Amino acid sequence: MDRIIAHDTVEQWMTHLRLQRTRARDVIWLIEHGATLHDGRDGTPTHDATERWLREQQQVIADVDRLVGLYDSANV
């Protein structure tokens, strides 16, 4: 079923996606420059989660790039 979605709504979604990609790039930059992330309990780190975060942020970028590509191809 095709549905009409207002252009401004789609633009808000795209803005949100691009912001998520920017945030993911920022986290990757931090990790590449020495930041580490740890899972923990009650403020005590239990193990390094840096690699997991790095993979997740790389996936966010890949997903957003794919969705932006779909959007761009539909609006050519």
Side-chain angles (χ1 to χ4, degrees):
M1 172 191 290
D2 289 338
R3 294 183 185 178
I4 303 296
I5 299 174
H7 178 49
D8 61 330
T9 300
V10 174
E11 286 303 318
Q12 288 178 18
W13 291 340
M14 295 308 297
T15 299
H16 173 73
L17 287 173
R18 290 181 180 110
L19 181 58
Q20 291 303 106
R21 182 174 55 188
T22 298
R23 289 177 177 157
R25 286 180 178 153
D26 289 348
V27 170
I28 289 171
W29 186 89
L30 288 170
I31 291 170
E32 288 174 344
H33 287 85
T36 58
L37 298 146
H38 294 82
D39 288 330
R41 182 180 206 104
D42 297 325
T44 303
T46 55
H47 70 279
D48 190 337
T50 306
E51 284 301 315
R52 187 188 81 226
W53 270 84
L54 181 60
R55 286 190 312 274
E56 288 173 358
Q57 300 313 303
Q58 290 167 335
Q59 187 62 50
V60 166
I61 292 170
D63 291 345
V64 171
D65 286 346
R66 183 181 57 79
L67 292 169
V68 168
L70 286 171
Y71 174 78
D72 289 343
S73 68
N75 290 296
V76 172

